[in-house]
Amino acid sequence: MGTTVEGKIKTLQPQQPSTLLEEMKLLKEMQEQSGSRKSINSELWHACAGPLVSLPQLGSLVYYFPQGHSEQVAVSTRRSATSQIPNYPNLPSQLMCQVHNVTLHADKETDEIYAQMSLQPVTSEKDVFPVPDFGLKPSKHPSEFFCKTLTASDTSTHGGFSVPRRAAEKLFPPLDYTMQPPTQELVVRDLHDNTWTFRHIYRGQPKRHLLTTGWSLFVGAKRLKAGDSVLFIRDEKSQLLVGVRRANRQQATLPSSVLSADSMHIGILAAAAHAAANRSSFTIFYNPRACPSEFVVPLAKYRKAIYGTRISVGMRFGMMFETEESGKRRDLDPLRWPGSKWRNLQVEWDEPGCVDKQNRVSPWEIETPESLFIFPSLTSGLKRPFLECMFGLEGLLNDPRGSGWKLVYVDYENDVLLVGDDPWEEFVGCVRCIRILSPAEVQQMSEEGMKLLNSATAHGINI
Amino acid sequence: MGTTVEGKIKTLQPQQPSTLLEEMKLLKEMQEQSGSRKSINSELWHACAGPLVSLPQLGSLVYYFPQGHSEQVAVSTRRSATSQIPNYPNLPSQLMCQVHNVTLHADKETDEIYAQMSLQPVTSEKDVFPVPDFGLKPSKHPSEFFCKTLTASDTSTHGGFSVPRRAAEKLFPPLDYTMQPPTQELVVRDLHDNTWTFRHIYRGQPKRHLLTTGWSLFVGAKRLKAGDSVLFIRDEKSQLLVGVRRANRQQATLPSSVLSADSMHIGILAAAAHAAANRSSFTIFYNPRACPSEFVVPLAKYRKAIYGTRISVGMRFGMMFETEESGKRRDLDPLRWPGSKWRNLQVEWDEPGCVDKQNRVSPWEIETPESLFIFPSLTSGLKRPFLECMFGLEGLLNDPRGSGWKLVYVDYENDVLLVGDDPWEEFVGCVRCIRILSPAEVQQMSEEGMKLLNSATAHGINI
DNA sequence: GTGTTGGCGGACAGCCGACAA
DNA sequence: TTGTCGGCTGTCCGCCAACAC
């Protein structure tokens, strides 16, 4: 207690007056600590975020979309922007920025992950101030990973947690099977660097891996319910870490009582407009799991979508998303944002179960076969490149059973995309699907895409 | 489930497409419900807020202080406004508004009370649109009321709640003392209209009133700790209601991950500036228990303070506050707000324990003897007028023991101000104190105040 | 008059293999 | 291979009066 900042503040109080400078130093220190005492483990953060989430590199260029930022606020406050929002004529629908700071966070109460970014508006790429990367690696997803959706038995007070066999064998330290029964103590850390101790035992008839003592404490503290997921990873130091993914139905944060939704929407626009006009940076929060769409888009990704893909009425495409996404109709306000590319594509979904999804998407959210074949780096966040899946997919597309396209799933355990029927029941809870064109169309568009690529490079567009 | 809005939305989903109009109607209905399903009981809300909190009347005129609003955000985000905030040259430090809407709320998780107000900027009093009051009474504090700070025993899992004798006799239905032991079932409702059932028993040696079965559920659900307070009231329909006041140490809401603090501060200023320029209304939240100072000040109160009180360097005054207030130094930014009356008085506290309190206050926050004698309506929110206390105080001020002034306490149980040493140990936890001038000064300033009042009315100021 | 403690009975948290999908 | 169940046991929740201040 004596060495904490709170302690210092407390002991300072009787010495009145302290200099303003001292007080400010302490306040700053306290503020930094209150956000997150220790820096968040990046691998665990990304494991919780899921393989489809990636963050822009420090120093890289992005487009910031105020509309998308506003959507994020609309989702968490459950209040869309009203007509009471002033116009900011000098704020474009997309603002080119350099990323000056990215910090990872997790909510103390819910473990919900989010990122804070500082964005510096720039007029052109020449405007970019070189930022040393301090040897920072691109955000990568952990290879030693498993994720399980909790059953009623896992969360009941009646017992412990049933560990899938392959998960226990891949991640946990090997048990001494000469013991009767084989038992060990697992010590794992969460996003807040809290330690949790679980008794890991291999018993029962038939034998299975279980977490018993300590498990119910964890379930209670994290308020886990059946349907939520837990995930374990081993990080670079091969330390065991544990994370949580809430079921989608659980709305993230309730409407805050701090600021009216209108003021929040206004705050977003005014902050961006002011930063753009003054060449100063502004700060945003990005909640990947609450946010309907990424609103800070890497420049490269944007250009590939806009210049590298020919989009025409009636064409079919694929899009990655998690199941049970709670997309709602949102205000696009074409008068406020003339010519905006944010959700400028009106789309129609094939599957009847998809009626609650967005019926408008942005060009960089969709996947056409040409973009997949030509630009495999789009999916570089995944352990095995998307391209590899596409090769496998080609054969399946000729499957005489199908109508010419197939569903593609994300296997969270191995962090790869899978084609066809879901091979493991256990992963149904966290599946994403993509619609693909017919084989003939694939062939045709691949050729067209290649032409577009040549055309783009000929025009000096640096993809 | 079938009659809830969620149910309607769910059953609507398969019927694709529904008209946009229908969807919007349902969304609006859902939004209204998500805020608060039933309207909050006003008496209970005010009981939780405490006797010093009052809200402006519907249709009345107020001054809105953007600085104060910003302070509220600074407290709940633990981030003060930085220099990255744009200037709004057309936004004055105080904005005259008509109150168009006041709704009471309580946080679903913490029961923290707050109010939402819609403010319509006006240029002068003649600009005011008459608002029917729908027979709304001014916010009054309940007369049948008691409040107890929870002990370690009250919150432990080892037992129940020990009810102070007078409280049980005044509020609870009378027990049948022929029973052995006398027992009854109490059914009470909280701010969210949830019902709680407590077994009320009179037993033990010596006999005392206890709440047993059902109590621990309540403590667990509300996450009460020793030091927090519970309060019971009987409303107009003599229904028993229960409320909660958290100990001050528990910070209200953690910094939200939705919006950066900077954007919030900007949002406040931009929303008010836009409303003022466009003659449109804007919406704010007011958290009386988190907020360091009221930032929506009734016009009458403001004028009494500014025109009715002569303030001079070195004068002494009183001020009401709750103990253990966690005031911190805040950014006043005289450059941004030239001539602002928000916290324009630099003050010094007598008691050494007060070092952490504000060292700047606004004129309408302080109580001088003249304001108390001349404008007793200032304290009309209290059951017995402040004036009555002042008469009692006069005698005590001559108490030869003292240094010429006395502490004045708020007795939460009887909702009155008390003078001198705290008469009941039990209320020490929720005491507020006032410093008063010496008897000679009281006499002198009272005469001066009378002159000021005459002068003010002579100048046509309508107090 | 009420906060805390020790005593005690019963509810349920939590460990186990059986069994079935 | 693993989700759920019935059986069993130990812990601690929660009701009680005694006692202290």
Side-chain angles (χ1 to χ4, degrees), chain A residues 12 23 49 60 76 122 166 190 208 220 227 257 293 316 350 370 399 427 443 455 457:
Chain A
L12 257 180
E23 270 193 48
S60 70
S76 49
V122 294
R166 289 187 305 151
D190 66 13
R208 87 277 312 272
S257 62
S293 296
R316 297 164 66 72
D350 290 342
E370 55 184 345
D399 185 337
F427 299 116
Q443 180 62 27
S455 155
T457 39

Side-chain angles (χ1 to χ4, degrees), chain A residues 248 321-326 357 428-433:
Chain A
N248 285 345
F321 54 87
E322 288 197 44
T323 52
E324 293 182 47
E325 197 86 309
S326 66
K357 270 193 285 300
V428 169
C430 44
V431 115
R432 302 164 195 217
C433 70

Side-chain angles (χ1 to χ4, degrees), chain A residues 16 20 40 65 81 88 110 118 121 159 163-164 178 198 206 211 252 290 310 341 352 359 364 424 430 435 446 458:
Chain A
Q16 170 84 357
L20 184 60
I40 297 258
F65 289 84
Y88 291 88
T110 65
S118 180
V163 187
T178 62
F198 302 126
L211 299 186
R310 176 169 299 167
K341 294 204 164 38
N359 54 6
W364 51 89
W424 295 312
C430 44
R435 295 230 176 58
S446 175

Side-chain angles (χ1 to χ4, degrees), chain A residues 157-158 203-206 208 213 216:
Chain A
T157 56
H158 191 62
R203 62 161 171 82
Q205 198 46 253
R208 87 277 312 272
T213 312
S216 69

Side-chain angles (χ1 to χ4, degrees), chain A residues 64-141:
Chain A
Y64 164 78
F65 289 84
Q67 287 167 285
H69 195 186
S70 211
E71 271 187 22
Q72 175 175 278
V73 165
V75 166
S76 49
T77 62
R78 297 167 172 273
R79 296 279 191 286
S80 291
T82 67
S83 54
Q84 299 284 22
I85 312 288
N87 277 315
Y88 291 88
N90 296 325
L91 180 63
S93 65
Q94 57 192 65
L95 191 61
M96 194 192 290
C97 296
Q98 190 183 19
V99 178
H100 267 190
N101 203 8
V102 180
T103 52
L104 307 180
H105 298 269
D107 188 279
K108 287 263 191 302
E109 283 290 306
T110 65
D111 275 36
E112 182 191 37
I113 53 117
Y114 60 98
Q116 180 181 334
M117 301 184 215
S118 180
L119 301 180
Q120 169 70 55
V122 294
T123 43
S124 83
E125 285 166 86
K126 289 156 194 153
D127 218 14
V128 172
F129 188 80
V131 173
D133 71 350
F134 301 115
L136 281 171
K137 284 155 293 187
S139 57
K140 86 173 167 70
H141 296 281

Side-chain angles (χ1 to χ4, degrees), chain A residues 152-164:
Chain A
S153 298
D154 290 330
T155 51
S156 117
T157 56
H158 191 62
F161 172 68
S162 186
V163 187

Side-chain angles (χ1 to χ4, degrees), chain A residues 45 48-50 52-55 72 105 112-115 117 285-295 322 325:
Chain A
W45 191 96
C48 292
L52 294 191
V53 171
S54 64
L55 295 176
Q72 175 175 278
H105 298 269
E112 182 191 37
I113 53 117
Y114 60 98
M117 301 184 215
F285 288 126
Y286 172 47
N287 294 37
R289 295 195 66 78
C291 194
S293 296
E294 182 187 19
F295 56 88
E322 288 197 44
E325 197 86 309

